[in-house]
Amino acid sequence: MATTIGIWIAAGLTLFIYSFLYKDNPFYKFAEHLYVGITAGYWLIYTWAYTIQPMLLEPIFKNKEFILIIPAFFGIIMLTRWFPSISWLSRWSIAFTVGIGAGLGVTGSIQGFILPQLRSTILPITGFNFATFNNLLIIFGVITTLIYFYFSKEHKGVFGQGAKIGMTFIMIAFGASFGYTVMARISLLIGRIYFLMFDWIGMLFGK
Amino acid sequence: MKIFEKMAHIDRRYIYILIAIVVIVPLLIKPKLPIIPTKPVKDIFDYVENLPQGSNILISIDYDAASMPEQQPFLEALLRQCFRNKLKPVMIVQWQLGAPLGTQGLEKIAKECNAIYGIDYINLGYRPGYVAQMVGIGREIRDYFSVDYKNVSVDSFPIMKNIHNYNDFALLLGLEAGATYLAWVEYAGGRFKQKIALSLNAVSAPDAYYFYQSKQIIGLVGGMKGSAEYEVLENKPDLAVAGMASQSYSHIVIILFIIFGNIAFFIEKNRKRKEGGK
Amino acid sequence: MLKGKNIPLAITFIVGIIMIVSFFIPHRPFGDIEQISLRWYSIIAGFTMVLGVDSLLGLHFRKIKRKEENWIHSIFLIAGFVMVFIAGVWGTIQYGSAFDERSFFTYIYNYFIVPLQATMFSLLAFFVASASYRAFRARNRDAALLLITAVIVMLGRVPIGEVISPYLPKFTDWIMEVPQMAAKRGIGLGIALGSLGVAIRIILGIERSYLS
């Protein structure tokens, strides 16, 4: 019974959202606002269940890891943003998190991205075959794309020609991305239509 | 020619109706279309297939309901393959709104395959921290996941006995809807040399091909088509395969839209040029 | 002095340097300090969610109080929040975890959040179709190249492409693995180098916008 009611609710909310396709209307606005409110509540419960309880309260009170009072303090002073007179305290928490992110980012981007990607662009150009052609195209494509995005030098002469070729590669990449984006969006639509047809209408016909 | 000009200004709601019809009809008629697995998908399948029995697989749920039709079929096909090969999935979550989807998929397939929680698989749930967590797991996973998703100590489960960090995982599989995969590749892969395979939603998939070429990932599943290929490889066609006909015909309709729209554009452009010349 | 930016800048610098040093020296004490810092980061990051939720609720409470346009819908937002919050607390009390399959909290996720979120994003399918017809024009060579590539990929990446021609999927694979990959790598390298520059500037205190 609960499942039946749930499927009706889900179908109803789905159709409320789709009513926007005809025109903006109160049903759509209701569904949209409900979604935001429910998601906010969900995040809050998650924060308690998967951050505060297992990572803070239990280690402090069960395992006596009192040093965790320090990040708890930093977390609480993050909330001082609500009070203008003491909101400067929240900068300490932000500085801590930003510092960690920046520090990890420096080594991560070099070791995890820049070096492996550069290494993989240095490809063999031996023999007169299709693999060599592909490798040349890859090297050329990476270099000309980087030239296109280098705006500190005017795109004139040979540099300008390189930028134009880079633009060609970029257009191919964006075209491919557009094709995949269409695929993604249609997939989401298929998922919802599948639910409406087989879970909701199928339920009405007892399937 | 006037018909093209009229069609160029057609009410968009007719377009919406046409798209809906093109998706609905193939789901009812169910035409059979060939689904041939591509190399990036086969590479993941073969790698998992060749892992020794008892290997631990770290599965990261980094998607939510918005990517469910693309990722959930792959998750289920992957879990079937893992349980069939006596591999041990360990699930973690980076996207809170995806956690119940991961849990539901895991429990559904575990029940189907008679897997026992805590022995054959485990669900560690979500923790915040993202990049910090990815680096921290490289040392000791219990610093973040001391309890499972139901708040039970992980040390009470046999599966976690010999799991401490990336060295104890044969493969990390990220099911991605955003840019979280970049961090997995940079930190888990770059720093800790963890073998990684990615299932990306179709919006992000084109951006991960350079990781595949540089061998920073062993394989790549892209969108619902990739999930359909994996279902075919696992020999258990499900939602993704069922959706491929609708996907195919929708693409053809959209391509026809692009062609007709451009024909109308060029006709109108020509007409305006001629009128301007008079 | 306490209220100024010097202490936060010092915190950013010290923490950033610790992260970099412990990458090269993972042994004690740097490895331990790094692991502790990362754990603290996760805890602090969890609190940011509370900030976001509060901002959202505050905005809508003000809307209701001042009876601004569409204030009725803000009541639904608050009601949805309260419903989920109560369900979460009740599920925790009843089953020990709000995420138990039997809890009303999980019920709300399955029959409210999933359909709402999935449907919101599926609307884009219709808009992409409409845009394809009404807006995507091959106005110049580059736009034409973009559209032609899009058409080839759209056909090659679905089963019907195999039916049209067995070379179509192969050509699509080539596009994805060679020219497309090359351009994306170039873009990715540019972004990575840019992020690296920003990260170094943040650690050194040259970039301070995050403190305002």
Side-chain angles (χ1 to χ4, degrees), chain C residues 172-194:
Chain C
T172 304
D173 286 341
W174 179 83
I175 289 176
M176 296 307 295
E177 288 169 10
V178 182
Q180 186 274 149
M181 189 276 292
K184 286 282 167 65
R185 177 173 282 168
I187 293 169
L189 279 167
I191 293 170
L193 288 165

Side-chain angles (χ1 to χ4, degrees), chain B residues 260-277:
Chain B
F260 281 135
N262 276 282
I263 290 173
F265 167 68
F266 283 114
I267 289 170
E268 199 165 337
K269 193 176 166 190
N270 249 351
R271 183 179 59 78
K272 280 183 180 159
R273 197 155 31 98
K274 281 181 184 161
E275 278 173 11

Side-chain angles (χ1 to χ4, degrees), chain C residues 44 63 76 84 90 103 120 137 144 191:
Chain C
I44 297 167
K63 249 183 134 176
F76 296 131
V84 168
W90 180 244
S103 72
M120 285 277 187
R137 301 286 180 254
I191 293 170

Side-chain angles (χ1 to χ4, degrees), chain B residues 106-125:
Chain B
L106 185 56
E107 292 301 328
K108 174 185 166 188
I109 305 303
K111 194 175 172 185
E112 200 181 284
C113 301
N114 298 316
I116 302 170
Y117 187 86
I119 298 174
D120 301 316
Y121 70 100
I122 192 167
N123 184 350
L124 300 178

Side-chain angles (χ1 to χ4, degrees), chain C residues 24-168:
Chain C
F24 293 102
I25 312 173
H27 315 290
R28 285 188 164 163
F30 296 104
D32 292 344
I33 297 172
E34 185 197 33
Q35 191 74 353
I36 291 168
S37 306
L38 293 174
R39 215 172 145 201
W40 289 9
Y41 174 96
S42 295
I43 293 167
I44 297 167
F47 279 86
T48 54
M49 203 56 76
V50 179
L51 265 181
V53 169
D54 176 75
S55 294
L56 178 75
L57 293 178
L59 173 74
H60 285 273
F61 268 123
R62 276 193 297 279
K63 249 183 134 176
I64 295 169
K65 199 171 159 187
R66 293 175 197 164
K67 293 207 169 31
E68 291 173 16
E69 198 188 344
N70 293 322
W71 65 274
I72 299 273
H73 295 109
S74 296
I75 295 179
F76 296 131
L77 188 147
I78 307 280
F81 172 81
V82 169
M83 175 177 73
V84 168
F85 188 76
I86 292 173
V89 170
W90 180 244
T92 309
I93 295 169
Q94 204 177 10
Y95 301 109
S97 167
F99 303 95
D100 191 287
E101 295 81 32
R102 299 162 289 179
S103 72
F104 185 55
F105 186 79
T106 304
Y107 187 88
I108 291 174
Y109 178 86
N110 288 332
Y111 297 114
F112 284 79
I113 292 180
V114 168
L116 283 168
Q117 189 172 33
T119 314
M120 285 277 187
F121 282 86
S122 74
L123 279 178
L124 294 165
F126 296 102
F127 300 147
V128 143
S130 172
S132 300
Y133 188 72
R134 293 151 70 95
F136 293 148
R137 301 286 180 254
R139 292 178 201 279
N140 51 43
R141 184 196 74 108
D142 289 330
L145 185 59
L146 190 150
L147 285 177
I148 291 167
T149 310
V151 166
I152 293 170
V153 168
M154 274 197 276
L155 282 177
R157 270 293 172 257
V158 286
I160 205 116
E162 186 71 34
V163 171
I164 294 170
S165 163
Y167 293 109
L168 202 47

Side-chain angles (χ1 to χ4, degrees), chain B residues 27 48 51 60 109 178 185 232 244 269 278:
Chain B
L27 283 174
V48 174
L51 284 172
S60 182
I109 305 303
V185 174
V232 162
M244 280 297 104
K269 193 176 166 190
K278 279 184 188 166

Side-chain angles (χ1 to χ4, degrees), chain A residues 2-200:
Chain A
T3 307
T4 306
I5 295 170
I7 290 175
W8 272 99
I9 292 171
L13 292 172
T14 301
L15 294 171
F16 282 0
I17 300 278
Y18 279 144
S19 67
F20 181 76
L21 293 169
Y22 183 70
K23 64 175 180 179
D24 197 4
N25 60 81
F27 293 111
Y28 170 76
K29 281 202 172 65
F30 161 73
E32 185 189 43
H33 281 74
L34 189 68
Y35 167 59
V36 174
I38 286 177
T39 311
Y42 189 86
W43 281 338
L44 208 58
I45 297 293
Y46 241 94
T47 302
W48 169 262
Y50 287 120
T51 307
I52 297 175
Q53 198 184 353
M55 294 195 80
L56 208 52
L57 298 181
E58 285 190 12
I60 290 176
F61 293 113
K62 274 191 186 164
N63 306 335
K64 312 274 185 243
E65 291 181 56
F66 294 115
I67 197 164
L68 292 177
I69 290 173
I70 300 173
F73 168 72
F74 272 107
I76 290 164
I77 62 171
M78 178 89 83
L79 306 177
T80 60
R81 282 183 90 80
W82 297 329
F83 310 104
S85 57
I86 50 170
S87 64
W88 55 269
L89 274 168
S90 64
R91 285 199 203 125
W92 295 8
S93 305
I94 294 168
F96 183 85
T97 52
V98 166
I100 294 225
L104 288 175
V106 167
T107 50
S109 66
I110 296 175
Q111 185 192 33
F113 193 95
I114 296 170
L115 289 179
Q117 290 300 309
L118 285 174
R119 201 181 305 131
S120 303
T121 310
I122 303 169
L123 294 162
I125 308 172
T126 50
F128 197 67
N129 51 44
F130 191 56
T132 302
F133 169 73
N134 284 342
N135 291 347
L136 264 171
L137 213 55
I138 290 171
I139 297 167
F140 202 52
V142 173
I143 293 172
T144 52
T145 304
L146 284 168
I147 287 174
Y148 176 80
F149 284 112
Y150 190 73
F151 298 118
S152 304
K153 184 174 160 56
E154 210 178 337
H155 288 181
K156 269 164 54 172
V158 172
F159 200 75
Q161 290 304 316
K164 279 205 179 93
I165 296 168
M167 181 62 154
T168 305
F169 279 95
I170 291 165
M171 284 297 119
I172 293 174
F174 286 169
S177 288
F178 171 65
Y180 265 77
T181 302
V182 168
M183 187 162 95
R185 302 306 173 205
I186 297 289
S187 300
L188 304 188
L189 179 61
I190 291 170
R192 292 323 295 156
I193 300 277
Y194 193 93
F195 161 77
L196 286 173
M197 282 171 60
F198 296 105
D199 292 339
W200 179 50

Side-chain angles (χ1 to χ4, degrees), chain C residues 4 12 17 46 78 89 153 201 210:
Chain C
T12 304
I17 293 295
I78 307 280
V89 170
V153 168
R201 287 162 62 88
Y210 64 96

